[in-house]
Structure formats: structure tokens, C-alpha cells
Amino acid sequence: MPVKLTETETELIFSIMRDLSGAFDHCEVRRRVGQKMLDLLKADYFASYVWDDAEQRFVSCVQINMSEDNLRRYESYFQFHDPITPTLQKRKKATPVSEVMRHDRLVKTEFYNDFLKQDGLCYGMDFFAYDRGDNIGDLRIWRGANREDFTPRDARIVDAVGPSLVNALVRARSSTQQSPSLRFAHIADDLGLTVREAEVADLLITGLSDDELCAKLGFSKPTLRSHIASIFRKSGLNRRTQLAPFLAEKNHHL
């Protein structure tokens, strides 16, 4: 059944699709989609992991509005005592948590009271992305107790984005495997870059906007632009798009 979208929902989905066509790394793809999914679904909390089949555990966390300490407890203990995620992980579609465990049962579990409730998570929905049978990333979207549970309509909206998310994660993973292992931090001395300039150069390759770079680095825009001008002067480059090929060429001659 087609989902009728409001104008705001339509704009957010178009924005997600634009992000999913961008050249972002695996973590950044999940973070961008997660932030917009919170807006789209009127949700409050987001976490995303990648399944490590060799280790039989979830790794590579991306989170929004959750505490790092609580997530470390999940990674060290609660993921191995999780009554819902193994079932959700087997599903190839977005699924509200209440479809695999009734909410009145969930709230009686250790998982809820000692993990979920600690950050205010109450109603959840998960989507697991698969590539040829491999779980390559997930979306874990949660609402607080002051909201209502997710609906089948919410799940259909996430499912509509699902194929594009899978493609973006596959591209990001492939790019990581093929990209040079060399970073500007490794050749900073050769180029005369400061530690901060090398950090900026390595982040520029990820495709972050100036606003995102400033937020991540704690810079003002004039400071950021000053660093970028210095990077270009010292490297002999003049465009951001030249940074990745420059590193690839350096890596080729190692």
C-alpha cells in the first residue's frame, strides 16, 4: 500500500536520498541518515552498528542523543543479553520492536530497565541492511516514553529508503577497501602541515560541509578557511576534490 507523505516528510526523504548518493564514509552515511530519520519519524534517539560475523558481535557504533557510557555497557554486556535484537536482525525489513516483543513484556526485562531506560528509550524500530547475506549496517530508532509506539506506516517509510541505504553502505565499504591507507597525518612533516592542518585535510576528504567540519573541530569558519588555505598552499593543490587523488598518488609510490 503506497504511503501518503506530508510535504515535510517528502522534503526529508529527498534530503536523505541526496545524502545517500554522496561520497561519505560508512559511519557518516549512517549518521546522516540517522539524524534525518529522527526528524522524519519524530523520534528521539538513534544508534547504528555493523555486525562483525567473525567476532559474533556488533561494532562500529554511531549514535545520536545516547550516552557513550551506556553504549559501552551495551557493547560489553547487554548485546549478549538482548531479548529483541537477534530476532529483529533476522528480518529484512523495518520492524517495530513491539512486533517481536510486546511492550508490557519488554519493560519487565533487565535489557529495558538497566540499558534502554537509562537513556530514556521506550519505543523502538530497527532496520538491518544486508548485502549478499552480510549484515552491513543497521538503523535503531527510538522514541521516548512521552511519545507513541511506531506504526506500520513508519516501518514502510523506512523500508522505502532501505534499498538506497544498502547501496550507499556498499559503496562506502568498497571505497574504504580501495582507498589509500595513507592519510595526511602520515605525511604532515613532508608537506610542512601542522597537526591541526593534517586533521582538517583528512576530514575534508570525507565530504563534510564547512558547518559540519566546524562543529566537529570546534572551529569558527574563518579559522577553518585559514587552515584550508594553508593546506592548499603547502600541498600545491587548489581544490578539495584533489585531496583524495593526491593521497592515492602518494600511496602508489610507497
Side-chain angles (χ1 to χ4, degrees):
M1 179 186 300
V3 177
K4 292 185 178 180
L5 300 172
T6 66
E7 183 176 345
T8 299
E9 288 172 335
T10 300
E11 290 175 356
L12 281 166
I13 287 179
F14 278 134
S15 180
I16 290 171
M17 292 304 188
R18 284 194 296 272
D19 281 348
L20 291 177
S21 65
F24 303 112
D25 67 27
H26 203 281
C27 288
E28 186 64 14
V29 169
R30 291 180 287 140
R31 187 191 69 78
R32 284 173 173 261
V33 172
Q35 185 60 68
K36 288 173 183 175
M37 279 293 178
L38 293 185
D39 296 335
L40 179 61
L41 298 171
K42 296 180 172 60
D44 307 290
Y45 309 97
F46 174 80
S48 173
Y49 284 93
V50 177
W51 177 251
D52 186 322
D53 198 51
E55 296 287 336
Q56 289 291 292
R57 62 186 297 140
F58 290 106
V59 298
S60 187
C61 178
V62 172
Q63 64 85 17
I64 300 170
N65 298 334
M66 296 185 68
S67 75
E68 294 290 345
D69 287 346
N70 204 30
L71 286 166
R72 298 297 83 80
R73 285 193 291 272
Y74 174 79
E75 290 162 11
S76 64
Y77 176 79
F78 284 107
Q79 71 164 305
F80 307 110
H81 301 81
D82 183 337
I84 55 174
T85 304
T87 301
L88 291 163
Q89 188 184 14
K90 295 174 184 176
R91 300 198 170 196
K92 303 295 178 68
K93 63 179 182 178
T95 305
V97 169
S98 55
E99 283 192 18
V100 302
M101 177 177 283
R102 286 197 335 240
H103 190 69
D104 61 346
R105 288 183 53 210
L106 178 65
V107 299
K108 296 176 183 177
T109 64
E110 174 193 39
F111 184 74
Y112 180 86
N113 287 287
D114 293 345
F115 169 59
L116 296 174
K117 192 176 179 181
Q118 298 304 306
D119 270 338
L121 285 67
C122 188
Y123 303 107
M125 177 165 61
D126 287 9
F127 174 83
F128 290 85
Y130 282 87
D131 174 41
R132 292 174 291 185
D134 293 333
N135 178 195
I136 59 172
D138 59 48
L139 308 178
R140 308 182 189 198
I141 307 160
W142 287 80
R143 290 172 175 163
N146 61 326
R147 299 190 188 267
E148 296 182 352
D149 196 0
F150 290 98
T151 66
R153 178 183 185 274
D154 295 326
R156 289 200 297 274
I157 288 174
V158 177
D159 280 335
V161 174
S164 296
L165 173 63
V166 170
N167 290 337
L169 292 177
V170 169
R171 282 200 316 275
R173 185 172 63 171
S174 191
S175 174
T176 299
Q177 291 168 347
Q178 295 173 11
S179 65
S181 57
L182 195 67
R183 296 170 61 85
F184 279 97
H186 301 147
I187 57 173
D189 289 343
D190 294 341
L191 296 175
L193 299 178
T194 66
V195 171
R196 212 56 163 143
E197 288 167 352
E199 183 179 11
V200 171
D202 283 325
L203 284 172
L204 285 171
I205 292 175
T206 68
L208 295 177
S209 69
D210 283 0
D211 286 338
E212 290 166 330
L213 285 166
C214 287
K216 187 178 284 287
L217 294 165
F219 286 168
S220 66
K221 283 190 177 179
T223 299
L224 174 66
R225 288 166 185 160
S226 176
H227 280 305
I228 293 173
S230 182
I231 291 164
F232 287 160
R233 185 179 68 255
K234 293 176 180 179
S235 65
L237 306 176
N238 52 40
R239 292 197 306 275
R240 300 184 190 198
T241 54
Q242 294 175 321
L243 291 168
F246 178 85
L247 271 190
E249 180 65 20
K250 288 283 187 183
N251 192 65
H252 178 69
H253 289 293
L254 287 180

